[in-house]
Amino acid sequence: MDLPSRDELFQRFRAALLSSAGTRISPRELDRPGSDVNLIAAAAALLGEEIVTRQAQQIAGLFEDTATGNQLDRVVFDRKGVARNGAAPSVLTFSLSRPTIAAGAGTIVGGLPGSTPAPTRVQNQAGTVYLLTQSASFTANPDATGLGPITVTGQAQFAGL
């Protein structure tokens, strides 16, 4: 069953008004744009359309295949007892290396968000910022510890992006 549109609600208002016993309102006046009775009928149709829309959204929220957002959380929990998991920052493994040992020994600082000193930030081409959760130390030796690669983990700065 289709829900009534604003025009259908206006027509229902019009029919009810004109079929009322003792009505002295002319159908021409009711149909004349801008007349007082026309504006009242249009406002009633607009309010009716808003009520129909909100009811349709609430009814859609009662079913798993049409619910969205908080309604979906509620219907799935009610039917299956399953709560939505919270968003968690993604965790990645980074491979760090350098072309030469000219800079000497050094440490790239890692740690949890909010720790001191602040962990190193790495940004990918898509713009997502990751914080290194482990430190990486390069030596001044021209071997594997001096040039890398050194594998460390990092996590996204924000969850859910």
Side-chain angles (χ1 to χ4, degrees):
M1 177 177 141
D2 291 335
L3 299 173
S5 67
R6 187 183 317 177
D7 290 335
E8 290 173 309
L9 292 170
F10 182 90
Q11 292 305 321
R12 289 180 187 182
F13 182 95
R14 182 183 188 283
L17 184 65
L18 295 177
S19 67
S20 296
T23 299
R24 298 183 333 181
I25 297 174
S26 160
R28 284 189 351 215
E29 190 64 20
L30 181 57
D31 294 334
R32 185 172 62 87
S35 69
D36 290 345
V37 70
N38 178 269
L39 292 175
I40 291 169
L46 179 66
L47 291 173
E49 181 183 49
E50 183 65 25
I51 290 169
V52 167
T53 300
R54 289 186 184 208
Q55 286 178 335
Q57 290 170 347
Q58 292 302 317
I59 291 169
L62 298 175
F63 304 97
E64 291 178 36
D65 58 342
T66 54
T68 59
N70 290 334
Q71 289 179 326
L72 181 60
D73 292 344
R74 200 172 13 248
V75 76
V76 169
F77 184 78
D78 288 347
R79 306 264 192 306
K80 299 179 179 174
V82 177
R84 184 186 295 227
N85 291 333
S90 61
V91 177
L92 296 176
T93 301
F94 293 93
S95 180
L96 305 175
S97 60
R98 60 186 184 166
T100 68
I101 60 166
T107 300
I108 298 175
V109 179
L112 295 176
S115 63
T116 304
T120 302
R121 296 173 183 224
V122 178
Q123 185 173 4
N124 68 7
Q125 290 178 341
T128 305
V129 176
Y130 295 91
L131 305 173
L132 296 183
T133 55
Q134 294 176 320
S135 296
S137 294
F138 290 99
T139 66
N141 298 329
D143 62 0
T145 59
L147 297 177
I150 298 174
T151 303
V152 295
T153 59
Q155 75 177 32
Q157 185 175 11
F158 299 109
L161 296 179

